[in-house]
């Protein structure tokens, strides 16, 4: 568990919207470097991959770079590499064929068309949050009232958590996932959260509705264990909360800092798809996907990676690779979409990408429409960034309009 | 240009369909890519090349005359 005073791991360090200088220096040394991510804190050396091409090679090759092996190598002594209970259903920690089996059943629930069915509900959620911003008056904190408040209810909508249960559900979920708390407190919150999910799964098994869980048990009920279904819900929360709140807060800030580009998007809704892709690339809120373990000796970017070595891919650096696009450090919302890796690559490519894209599009549009005169209420150097999280973001974003 | 899709590799992102709906579709049954036009009109070549480059699973390959662009 990270401690408040522990140094921020190297691969998560940023300066405003950019990867931090010490991280950039590493990338300048070559696309694959041997580093310790937490120097002085006992972090074991591993490979940091910073080139776009090399990142795609690692993430695109699950036979040489495994996510499952993490358990095997790290926990082998204790339990023969058995998946710990809390890891059941967490897709990103699975390799084929287990991964293929689960992913195949989930993929149809996340198609672009399916996600469009959620659109009116997401619009309503976003509108409620904007009402709250308006009610708060000047200055209002967009991080708290907008960025952090949207993804939770959207995920509840997706999973099928009844409206009356949502506040409770999200509170337990946050307590369960929060890393800053004591172990006992987390365990207690965790079992309350698991109990609720178990009841939800049982209810859907008996009386499946049209939501995601209902469809899963209707179409594949006997192929999933209850534990897997619970794990899949946890996975969605893990993947959907910080990443989306990070994108919403940082994206709003990036737009406010670039008024000419903001005008471009506000006046032309058709330009928004492009803009969202560029914001995903430029902001790269997830620091890194699940670390991979090399299965065999492999040469990558001119370095020999040995079987058993840990490989971490830097999303922000890969997405700023000069081989990927011209002037990668410039935010250019009119840029032709580039093949960024903000959602990962290969078999673990984010299953919720279509939902994320739609959510961002709806939320940015509604924000700009509701507050055409939106601007920062503090000097930009007073914006507080979120540095200890799996996804980068803003901690506070006071605005006025 | 001829378009080939490897449904075994497809990660079901629906990205190709969003970019070039005339050429790609996404199956409601398994969420994976469906090819609507294996030989797209030459006017669509650039968009199809873009979709192939962006496919997060490397599931789209191109062959024939304008597969590489100029
Ligand atoms: S872009 Fe690639 S992964 Fe996504 S649906 Fe099309 S073929 Fe499948």
């Amino acid at each position: 568990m990270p401690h408040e005073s522990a140094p921020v791991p190297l691969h998560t360090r940023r300066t405003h919207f950019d990867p931090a200088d010490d991280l950039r220096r590493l990338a300048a040394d070559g696309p694959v470097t041997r580093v310790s991510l937490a120097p002085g804190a006992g972090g074991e050396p591993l490979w940091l991959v910073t080139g776009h091409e090399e990142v795609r090679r690692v993430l695109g090759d699950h036979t040489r770079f495994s996510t499952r092996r993490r358990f095997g190598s790290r926990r082998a002594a204790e339990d023969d590499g058995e998946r710990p209970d809390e890891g059941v259903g967490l897709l990103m920690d699975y390799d084929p064929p287990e991964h293929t089996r689960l992913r195949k059943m989930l993929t149809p629930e996340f198609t672009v068309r399916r996600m469009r069915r959620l659109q009116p509900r997401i619009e309503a959620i976003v509108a409620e949050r904007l009402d709250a911003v308006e009610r708060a008056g000047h200055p209002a904190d967009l991080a708290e009232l907008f960025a952090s408040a949207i993804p939770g209810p959207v995920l509840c909508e997706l999973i099928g958590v009844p409206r009356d249960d949502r506040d409770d559900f999200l509170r337990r979920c946050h307590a369960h996932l929060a890393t800053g708390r004591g172990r006992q407190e987390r365990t207690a919150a965790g079992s309350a959260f698991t109990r609720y999910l178990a009841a939800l799964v049982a209810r859907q098994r008996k009386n499946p509705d049209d939501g995601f869980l209902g469809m899963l048990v209707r179409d594949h009920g006997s192929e999933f264990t209850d534990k897997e279904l619970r794990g899949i819900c946890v996975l969605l929360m893990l993947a959907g909360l910080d990443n989306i709140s990070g994108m919403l807060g940082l994206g709003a800030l990036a737009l406010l800092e670039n008024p000419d580009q903001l005008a471009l998007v506000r006046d032309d809704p058709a330009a928004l798809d492009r803009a969202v892709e560029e914001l995903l690339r430029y902001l790269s809120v997830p620091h890194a996907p699940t670390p991979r373990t090399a299965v065999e000796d492999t040469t990558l970017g001119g370095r020999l990676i040995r079987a058993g070595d840990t490989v971490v891919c830097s999303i922000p650096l890969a997405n700023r690779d000069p081989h990927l696009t011209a002037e990668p450090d410039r935010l250019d919302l009119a840029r032709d979409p580039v093949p960024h890796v903000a959602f990962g690559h290969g078999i673990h490519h984010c299953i919720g990408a279509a939902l994320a894209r739609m959510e961002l599009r709806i939320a940015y549009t509604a924000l700009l429409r509701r507050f055409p005169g939106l601007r920062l209420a503090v000097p930009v150097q007073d914006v507080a960034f979120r540095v200890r999280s799996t996804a980068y973001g803003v901690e506070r974003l006071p605005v006025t309009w | 240009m001829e378009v080939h899709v490897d449904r075994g590799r497809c990660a079901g992102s629906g990205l190709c369909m969003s970019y070039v709906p005339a050429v790609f579709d996404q199956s409601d049954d398994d969420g994976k890519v469906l090819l609507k036009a294996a030989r797209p009109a030459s006017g669509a070549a650039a968009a199809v090349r873009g979709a192939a480059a962006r496919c997060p699973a490397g599931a789209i390959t191109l062959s024939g005359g304008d597969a590489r662009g100029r």
Side-chain angles (χ1 to χ4, degrees):
Chain A
M1 184 188 312
H3 191 265
E4 281 304 322
S5 63
V8 177
L10 182 60
H11 69 301
T12 69
R13 288 182 210 158
R14 315 250 188 157
T15 307
H16 210 71
F17 298 132
D18 299 330
D21 285 344
D22 37 2
L23 204 48
R24 289 219 191 233
R25 273 193 292 276
L26 276 181
D29 281 350
V32 180
T33 42
R34 189 86 171 144
V35 294
S36 166
L37 294 185
E44 50 167 328
L46 41 72
W47 296 102
L48 186 70
V49 186
T50 54
H52 177 259
E53 181 59 42
E54 289 75 12
V55 163
R56 294 235 298 190
R57 262 192 63 199
V58 171
L59 301 182
D61 186 351
H62 59 267
T63 56
R64 286 203 185 84
F65 300 100
S66 153
T67 57
R68 172 75 174 95
R69 278 281 289 268
R70 282 199 313 150
F71 297 105
S73 52
R74 219 187 274 157
R75 305 178 60 104
E78 303 153 40
D79 56 14
D80 274 342
E82 263 300 290
R83 194 177 293 287
D85 225 32
E86 63 208 38
V88 172
L90 299 192
L91 237 57
M92 63 275 221
D93 294 341
Y94 283 63
D95 283 339
E98 283 176 289
H99 177 269
T100 320
R101 176 182 78 87
L102 288 178
R103 175 104 185 193
K104 202 170 78 201
M105 294 187 276
L106 294 173
T107 305
E109 306 302 330
F110 287 90
T111 61
V112 175
R113 269 190 290 270
R114 266 282 160 78
M115 291 305 117
R116 274 185 203 142
R117 294 206 314 213
L118 284 177
Q119 182 164 342
R121 287 301 313 145
I122 299 178
E123 281 166 353
I125 290 166
V126 169
E128 277 166 32
R129 299 323 307 166
L130 293 175
D131 291 345
V133 172
E134 208 161 348
R135 271 199 310 275
H138 320 244
D141 180 9
L142 270 197
E144 184 201 343
L145 299 170
F146 175 77
S148 302
I150 290 172
V154 170
L155 288 163
C156 287
E157 195 70 45
L158 171 79
I159 292 173
V161 178
R163 231 152 278 176
D164 288 346
D165 297 351
R166 285 188 190 170
D167 290 347
D168 255 4
F169 176 81
L170 289 171
R171 192 156 6 88
R172 286 178 191 167
C173 177
H174 282 295
H176 175 49
L177 300 178
T179 45
R181 300 188 181 221
R183 190 179 174 78
Q184 253 188 353
E185 211 181 324
R186 275 189 75 197
T187 313
S191 51
F193 184 59
T194 309
R195 265 202 312 279
Y196 180 84
L197 281 177
L200 189 66
V201 167
R203 229 161 41 223
Q204 290 292 341
R205 281 221 192 259
K206 216 184 281 163
N207 246 328
D209 63 19
D210 283 345
F212 160 78
L213 264 183
M215 296 299 271
L216 275 188
V217 301
R218 206 193 330 261
D219 295 346
H220 304 281
S222 56
E223 298 162 72
F224 283 110
T225 65
D226 283 358
K227 222 186 245 177
E228 282 171 343
L229 287 171
R230 290 203 302 270
I232 286 157
C233 294
V234 174
L235 160 77
L236 295 179
M237 304 307 289
L238 267 173
L241 287 172
D242 282 356
N243 284 318
I244 298 287
S245 70
M247 273 305 296
L248 288 174
L250 274 190
L253 178 61
L255 290 170
L256 293 179
E257 281 188 33
N258 294 276
D260 50 326
Q261 302 219 28
L262 184 150
L264 207 111
V265 187
R266 189 187 45 213
D267 304 337
D268 177 12
L272 205 73
D273 276 347
R274 229 165 241 258
V276 165
E277 286 317 302
E278 172 69 349
L279 287 168
L280 285 163
R281 178 196 75 83
Y282 182 74
L283 301 171
S284 293
V285 300
H287 305 294
T290 309
R292 301 319 202 240
T293 304
V295 174
E296 54 188 68
D297 291 2
T298 309
T299 306
L300 183 77
R303 308 296 299 265
L304 175 66
I305 296 179
R306 298 235 178 244
D309 285 358
T310 301
V311 180
V312 170
C313 292
S314 166
I315 298 300
L317 284 167
N319 282 340
R320 300 281 189 104
D321 186 330
H323 295 103
L324 177 61
T325 184
E327 294 188 78
D329 291 321
R330 197 163 63 87
L331 174 73
D332 174 7
L333 297 185
R335 198 190 287 270
D336 259 344
V338 299
H340 63 72
V341 286
F343 289 116
H345 182 73
I347 63 167
H348 292 287
H349 180 268
C350 172
I351 199 168
L355 173 61
R357 288 188 162 104
M358 182 173 70
E359 200 170 338
L360 296 175
R361 207 166 49 227
I362 293 172
Y364 293 141
T365 314
L367 176 70
L368 300 180
R369 250 192 227 145
R370 177 78 71 100
F371 304 109
L374 193 70
R375 58 191 191 278
L376 276 181
V378 295
V380 65
Q381 57 273 19
D382 290 356
V383 171
F385 290 89
R386 180 172 80 190
V387 291
R388 280 172 204 284
S389 170
T390 56
Y392 192 48
V394 288
E395 199 86 66
R396 275 181 309 283
L397 186 61
V399 294
T400 184
W401 52 89
Chain B
M1 170 195 287
E2 198 161 334
V3 186
H4 317 267
V5 294
D6 180 347
R7 301 191 85 241
R9 287 191 74 117
C10 171
S13 71
L15 203 61
C16 51
M17 173 185 85
S18 309
Y19 279 118
V20 207
V23 175
F24 304 101
D25 196 2
Q26 189 177 21
S27 154
D28 288 325
D29 293 333
D30 64 6
K32 296 199 176 196
V33 59
L34 293 174
L35 194 54
K36 285 164 83 175
R39 293 184 154 277
S42 57
V48 172
R49 280 197 300 271
R54 281 167 208 129
C55 169
I60 303 173
T61 47
L62 309 173
S63 64
D66 41 4
R68 297 183 153 267
R70 276 178 301 133

